[in-house]
Amino acid sequence: MSIWAVTHSIGDTDWPPPDPGLVLTVPDTHTYPGQPWDVEATVDVSVIPAHCVPGHEATGEDSPALGGWVRLGVQHSDGGHLDVALDTAAAASLRDALTWWLDHHHIHPAPTG
């Protein structure tokens, strides 16, 4: 049994309720995302409930406390999968990087033809 509990599944339209957004794998660094060869994917965010942390098994399943790691899992629609676990400092750095990006104006490719 896994110690991880998925809290969000970004890009998965079957997730109840679906988290909005499109997630694509990008096979190279020289093309803009959204090419025909890009593969749809999902990003799962998982946490460790307190009762699954060694030494805290008696905490109970209703505890609001969480283990000190968050897992990001990228699942490709072609079957590939990768998980990474971030500690609190790495998660805060990721949050800050995403907030920085979200705070900017975003542009998209101009129509051609």
Side-chain angles (χ1 to χ4, degrees):
M1 180 176 183
S2 176
I3 64 169
W4 297 97
V6 177
T7 61
H8 296 80
S9 191
I10 302 159
D12 185 350
T13 57
D14 295 328
W15 183 259
D19 285 314
L22 176 63
V23 179
L24 298 173
T25 61
V26 182
D28 53 51
T29 61
H30 65 279
T31 58
Y32 197 83
Q35 302 303 317
W37 53 82
D38 292 341
V39 177
E40 286 193 22
T42 61
V43 176
D44 292 337
V45 180
S46 305
V47 298
I48 304 172
H51 69 276
C52 293
V53 176
H56 297 273
E57 294 83 359
T59 304
E61 293 184 22
D62 294 331
S63 173
L66 299 171
W69 294 87
V70 62
R71 183 182 74 180
L72 301 177
V74 177
Q75 184 99 325
H76 306 221
S77 60
D78 65 4
H81 187 83
L82 173 69
D83 288 323
V84 295
L86 287 71
D87 68 5
T88 305
S93 292
L94 178 59
R95 178 206 56 215
D96 294 347
L98 292 172
T99 299
W100 173 86
W101 179 76
L102 286 167
D103 286 345
H104 282 75
H105 175 72
H106 299 116
I107 59 172
H108 299 282
T112 58

